[in-house]
Amino acid sequence: MDRSWMRASRITAEYGTGVEQFLQFTEMHAPSLRGKYFCPCVKCANGRHQTLSEIRSHLICHGMIPNYTNWIWHGELPDNPTLSHTEAIDVDTGCRIEEMIRDLGQDGFRQAHAPLYDKIENDSKTPLYSGCTTFTRLSAVLALVNLKARFGWSDKSFTELLVLLKKLLPEDNTLPKSQYEAKKILCPMGMEYQKIHACPNDCILYRNEYAKMRTCPTCGVSRYKVKNHEESDVATAENSHPAKVCWYLPIIPRFRRLFANRYDAKQLMWHVEGRKIDGLLRHPADSPQWKAFDALYPDFGNETRNLRLGLASDGMNPFGNLSTSHSSWPVLLMIYNLPPWLCMKRKYIMLCMMIAGPRQPGNDIDVYLAPLIEDLRTMWEHGVDVWDGNLQETFRLRAMVFCTINDFPAYGNLSGYSVKGHHACPICEKNTSFVQLKHGKKTVYTRHRRFLNQFHPYRRLKKAFNGSQENESAPKPLNGKEVHDRVNDIITIFGKTQKKTSSETNIWKKRSIFFELPYWSDLDVRHCIDVMHVEKNVCDSLIGTLLNIKGKTKDGLKCRQDLVDMGIREQLHPIAKGSRTYLPPACHTMSTKEKRSFCHCLRNVKVPEGYSSNINSLVSIKDLKLVGLKSHDCHVLMQQLLPVAIRGILPDKVRVAITRLCFVFNAICSKVIDPARLDELENEAAIVLCQMEMYFPPSFFDIMVHLIVHLVREIRLCGPVFLRWMYPIERYMKVLKGYTKNQHRPEASIVERYVAEECIEYCSQYIEAAKSVGVPEPRHVTTPVGKGTRGYNVVTMTRHEISQAHLYILNNTAEVIPYIDAHKKEVAALNPRFNMMRVLQEHNKTFMKWFRHTIFADEATSKTLRLLALGPNLNVPTWQGYHINNYSFYTKSQDEKSSMQNSGVTVDADSDHFCSASDNNPIRASMHYFGVIEQIWELDYTDFRVPVFKCKWINARTGVRQDEMGFTLVDFNKVGYMDEPFIMAQQARQIFYVEDPCNSTYSVVLQGRPSGLNDAHDPTMLDICETPPFSTAMPNMNDSHYVDDVHANRNDHDEGLWENIVT
């Protein structure tokens, strides 16, 4: 078809005739969407669907894309200018390359990058070699670079692989021979980034009005690196390098690409279409802040595709553990529209800015955030047109920042609040209660009785606390508008050389750049307190004080001298004895025997696979301390292990207070929260902190301990903490560190490799053989019947054992239940003198034979019932390890060879309970049974196999008990149910046992945690998995009859602390 008319004047008849021919061709060949087709005019650029009449109008008014001569968007097959011997080959890759190119072509990409775009089309049709029908040049490169990104191959190793593959393939193959050539093939799919020069002192970014300056107008430092022999005004862009750079990765084109993909566009609607709404807090969309914002801005809330974002930033050392103080600051965005199992995954965490080191920006971070805030403000005020690949339409996208996620120092940098000094709490602000310790040289934050209800008995106590009663009420947090009023008149000049005005009256350092967003002052919680860092700091302080670890304990000579100055707790005042000072034992001071019990308990802990790191490797028996605790180690200790380790040691009230503190953290970290219980939890947090004040020294209460009292408020307003803590951010920082391949330019290396992975991630969605880089697959493939993992063998079992397992399967198969009921009735009718217990016994003896006879007498029964009636093969496949229900189970013998404990198992079973042998009215009730797996079988019924666990069960009546703290204790010497050792593997839940420090006869039962996602995408199977409670109920303490006395001393041992007097 002649297309010279495309270059003719739009007012000529030739052009009009060509337009009509094009419209006829489109109507005959192009796929339509509700009567609409891609419009190839200059403005739409094949990025929007229009009707034929609208396309005619657009082509006449705006003209057609000049280089759109191959009408691939309108049904014409693309030209393939390749070698003649490859033209006739039909390449069927099974991939959606054409769909990828179409999604890539949205928003005028083809018009802007016509040569590169044509090259993509060419590569997508070129076979890998003559006769190849499975891979094209493009799909082969995409599959290879996907592997490179998933497994972290270096550029050099990838080049070597390409060279080897090129030699292995036929000579006419089109595979690139180096990583550089492969990168050039993928260049058109890559996203752009901006490299912005910055003042070395963080005063300005050289953009907008500063774009052409060569020196900083604030501090006068040169924009470029100055060599020793040059003057500062000689250095220019032509002969030198910038002194400091930040990288901005524009967010608008990245959001557009996200919506262009139909799968991602559908996932971005999950918070409306897929979220469970039952009044519980599972997601930020359930939170009052989300709902209040939609009510305040109905235009924004009515468009459900509008984005709610979380912004995170933190410093990292790109060189890993090398001895350097280099601090790079990435800025990340998370999208809360996504389901909770995706929004914190690597694929959907968006790196939008990288601030170069070596110094951290600190309070000057606002300078670098300016480009991001401008785009965010544009997306809020005006929005951007975006193509929705799911609904196949263009809409106006807007976005807002829901909250920021950061550790406490970064909290101060982003919010502008001074998180150091006397008023370090940003919630209490000027009403922060502090004490400046004279000898300890630190500020502590006490008086948590203010947060109790008005008539709580703790308020009346004097000696137990600071010597006075508490009559004040809790301070009221400032809302966004009040904060804005506080900071609106602050004038800040950024830069490291600027002298900061230190005013005691103004605890706000600056007006945060986030207030440039018009809605920012309408949010109740703008910056979130990071639970991860609070929990780690509290755990470090607690462990350090209990074990008296040097450098980490909050007790010592200076602490006791401060007690003297404060005139409280005379029993703990230091006693001078010659050249040494004796510090009497406080109630938290452990004796050597108690320290040894504590350390031995943790040393002997073996946890299930995927539960945590190897806890016993953190215990030093020689020094009686814990070493090398990471954030997640502290999380596991505070959630479950610490309350077990302190059983039988410390005074009762101190032990209960610590246990209640762990219970509070466990409740705070829940992934499903009932709002009706938050008031109770908030009150409990305040009570626990008051109890800690009674027993621990004032120096224990740094700002991180104080922040516990405010955590529940943020849960109430913003939802569960697992989408607002730093665990996924810290994990992503580790990924970014892995991108550092150029030690001289770490930030540039990180950005380049991020952009490359971004491109690979986008393309992988369209390649059949490729797997996502940023959404890793679970370690074990989840199937309904499970999968053996280790120790396979085939063993011939005795008929008695097979009968036990077979009978259990029959009793727990839904299709067999009607036959069970019928047989029981028949047994009772044949034996009218039998009581219920005798009927059940006779049923168990005769059912299998009766069942076989009944099934084969009825030709209408299903094949499954016939196979069950025949019974399993005596040759049984056995395993030492088995994965099912998102748990990895081992046998007891395999556990003994492993550093993990995977053999613990529990099952909830409904059974008939008889009070005596003559009881004819048994009670049907559910009971928890605990045991260990001895053997794992797969019973073979020819067409299917049924996995069962043969277990050693603990007698639920005599070997299981609960103590007053709510712990479940089991005695392995009390074995029961020897005639019923089997359960079906699908019924099993994993537990693990920790030897009770109080009584070695008993073991404490702790719940295991499932790993990975199940088929229903259960939102509780996420990221840092939720830890089940260690106790069935909150440990109780009778507060109403508390005696007003000093409870901080200890009289049951005299192993106090000794300090040398410095002369």
Side-chain angles (χ1 to χ4, degrees), residues 994-1032:
V994 179
E995 183 180 310
D996 186 6
C998 296
N999 185 349
S1000 59
T1001 303
Y1002 285 92
S1003 295
V1004 180
V1005 177
L1006 296 177
Q1007 299 289 331
R1009 296 184 299 190
S1011 60
L1013 286 169
N1014 61 18
D1015 296 332
H1017 291 301
D1018 186 348
T1020 63
M1021 311 297 183
L1022 306 167
D1023 192 47
I1024 301 297
C1025 293
E1026 181 172 3
T1027 305
F1030 53 83
S1031 169
T1032 57

Side-chain angles (χ1 to χ4, degrees), residues 463-464 560 563 569-573 584-589 650-651 653-654 694-696 1045-1053:
K463 296 178 182 179
R560 302 296 179 91
L563 294 181
R569 303 181 188 177
E570 294 181 4
Q571 299 91 330
L572 300 181
H573 291 181
C587 61
H588 55 75
T589 305
L650 297 173
K653 292 181 178 180
V654 178
M694 286 192 282
Y695 309 131
F696 284 80
D1045 199 358
V1046 176
H1047 303 279
N1049 61 314
R1050 188 167 186 181
N1051 299 318
D1052 56 346
H1053 75 79

Side-chain angles (χ1 to χ4, degrees), residues 344-524:
M344 288 296 182
K345 294 300 182 194
R346 173 176 168 183
K347 175 181 177 179
Y348 296 103
I349 295 180
M350 186 181 296
L351 176 66
C352 57
M353 180 161 285
M354 174 60 71
I355 304 171
R359 293 186 300 179
Q360 63 178 7
N363 195 49
D364 303 317
I365 194 172
D366 288 12
V367 172
Y368 297 95
L369 291 176
L372 173 61
I373 297 298
E374 288 176 8
D375 276 357
L376 288 171
R377 182 162 184 168
T378 298
M379 292 194 69
W380 169 256
E381 293 181 339
H382 308 292
V384 291
D385 288 335
V386 172
W387 172 256
D388 186 331
N390 179 42
L391 299 181
Q392 294 290 301
E393 65 182 20
T394 301
F395 74 102
R396 178 74 62 166
L397 174 67
R398 297 170 66 193
M400 58 86 66
V401 178
F402 184 76
C403 64
T404 69
I405 308 168
N406 29 256
D407 60 12
F408 201 55
Y411 185 114
N413 294 336
L414 292 176
S415 67
Y417 187 81
S418 177
V419 293
K420 298 179 181 179
H422 293 169
H423 301 95
C425 177
I427 313 301
C428 297
E429 209 223 14
K430 291 182 178 179
N431 295 315
T432 302
S433 176
F434 67 91
V435 176
Q436 183 65 45
L437 300 180
K438 176 181 177 182
H439 298 278
K441 307 293 184 184
K442 62 185 294 188
T443 307
V444 295
Y445 309 88
T446 55
R447 293 181 61 200
H448 294 101
R449 289 182 290 170
R450 296 188 301 163
F451 296 91
L452 299 175
N453 63 63
Q454 185 177 0
F455 301 104
H456 197 281
Y458 282 173
R459 284 181 170 270
R460 300 192 299 270
L461 302 183
K462 296 182 180 180
K463 296 178 182 179
F465 289 93
N466 58 1
S468 61
Q469 294 183 349
E470 183 59 70
N471 298 314
E472 290 188 18
S473 57
K476 183 181 178 182
L478 299 180
N479 59 38
K481 295 186 182 301
E482 290 171 332
V483 171
H484 181 263
D485 293 340
R486 297 280 178 96
V487 302
N488 196 37
D489 296 329
I490 297 177
I491 299 175
T492 306
I493 301 176
F494 293 106
K496 294 292 187 289
T497 60
Q498 301 304 305
K499 185 177 181 181
K500 309 300 179 183
T501 58
S502 57
S503 173
E504 292 294 333
T505 59
N506 193 358
I507 51 181
W508 294 91
K509 299 179 291 184
K510 64 180 180 182
R511 180 182 183 271
S512 173
I513 193 172
F514 286 97
F515 282 107
E516 297 295 325
L517 302 173
Y519 55 83
W520 194 245
S521 59
D522 297 318
L523 299 177
D524 292 313

Side-chain angles (χ1 to χ4, degrees), residues 824-836 838-839 842 920:
K824 287 180 180 179
K825 291 179 181 178
E826 184 175 317
V827 171
L830 293 174
N831 303 278
R833 298 175 65 87
F834 281 8
N835 59 29
M836 286 297 296
R838 287 291 304 279
V839 168
E842 186 66 20
N920 278 324

